[in-house]
Amino acid sequence: MVLTADVSLEEFMDTQNDLKQQVREAVSSFQSTQLAVTCESIEVDCHADTLVVTLRGATSPVERDLARDKSARKLLETFYSELFDAIKPDLEAKIQEIIGWQVQRSRLNIDPESGAGVILFTFEGKACPEDQPGALP
């Protein structure tokens, strides 16, 4: 939805918030069922042709302790990246369904020591009109 004279600012913001909430729920469900992780928080932001999902608490306390060791941290980073690559098609399909744009690629980056993570979704079209920064379609 794009803000026009036919659409009130309230309707526009409600649609934005609804789509972001749907993305949060999809990511939360994916994290829980596929990665056995319940994140402390999930935030969603839209930038041009990229959807950015920020995760807090995406690793367990044991993994955070283990990640203090450089080789263990690298092993955990590789593990999460390769696991995500193997199981991401279901999440990409759900995001496509919610946003209405074809997901071109996605990537998960996790900092095992802090427990912070980011999932980037890049779209074939534009997720947000350039004249409406932060706007979902």
Side-chain angles (χ1 to χ4, degrees), residues 72-116:
R73 181 175 51 250
K74 183 66 177 163
L75 183 63
L76 286 166
E77 288 169 352
T78 301
F79 168 76
Y80 274 108
S81 179
E82 289 179 5
L83 177 61
F84 182 78
D85 286 345
I87 61 177
K88 68 184 180 181
D90 288 340
L91 180 59
E92 289 177 346
K94 186 65 178 173
I95 296 302
Q96 258 174 233
E97 179 184 316
I98 294 167
I99 301 298
W101 288 87
Q102 178 75 32
V103 175
Q104 187 174 29
R105 68 175 98 29
S106 63
R107 179 180 170 101
L108 169 69
N109 287 329
I110 294 273
D111 175 8
E113 191 170 0
S114 71

Side-chain angles (χ1 to χ4, degrees), residues 24-78:
R24 273 191 288 278
E25 290 170 4
V27 170
S28 178
S29 176
F30 176 82
Q31 290 287 108
S32 175
T33 60
Q34 300 295 321
L35 300 174
V37 172
T38 301
C39 294
E40 295 167 10
S41 70
I42 299 172
E43 295 299 322
V44 179
D45 294 297
C46 188
H47 304 278
D49 65 349
T50 305
L51 188 68
V52 180
V53 180
T54 306
L55 312 169
R56 300 275 183 248
T59 58
S60 71
V62 171
E63 289 172 321
R64 288 189 283 258
D65 286 342
L66 185 60
R68 290 181 188 155
D69 176 73
K70 185 177 179 178
S71 61
R73 181 175 51 250
K74 183 66 177 163
L75 183 63
L76 286 166
E77 288 169 352
T78 301

